[in-house]
Amino acid sequence: MRLFQIEADYRPNNQNKPHYYVMAKSKSDAKRKFKNRIAWLDIYGCEEVTDEAQANYIYEHPEKFILC
């Protein structure tokens, strides 16, 4: 499993779209999992978190991030 950062919002013109994190096998799997959980938001970006230190920090502090 890998960690993906999803950029999603219900406002298409929002310049500061929030980020959500999903554990998945692939980018398409991450998008599918996110849409199944939070269907009312539109996805504007999906990137794998490749920085191992950042990924570990997100795993260790789930209270600071939105994990799906």
Side-chain angles (χ1 to χ4, degrees):
M1 297 293 268
R2 299 181 300 193
L3 184 66
F4 290 88
Q5 177 181 320
I6 304 278
E7 184 176 303
D9 202 345
Y10 61 90
R11 301 166 293 183
N13 296 325
N14 183 10
Q15 296 299 319
N16 298 314
K17 292 177 179 60
H19 295 125
Y20 304 86
Y21 295 92
V22 178
M23 288 187 59
K25 295 178 184 177
S26 66
K27 187 183 272 193
S28 60
D29 189 37
K31 288 179 181 181
R32 183 186 53 75
K33 282 183 171 184
F34 182 82
K35 275 306 234 185
N36 285 340
R37 189 102 189 249
I38 308 175
W40 59 91
L41 295 180
D42 294 322
I43 296 174
Y44 294 100
C46 180
E47 304 264 335
E48 183 178 356
V49 178
T50 56
D51 181 11
E52 192 173 325
Q54 180 185 8
N56 287 335
Y57 184 77
I58 292 167
Y59 292 139
E60 292 170 2
H61 301 283
E63 71 279 1
K64 296 183 180 184
F65 302 96
I66 302 170
L67 298 169
C68 298

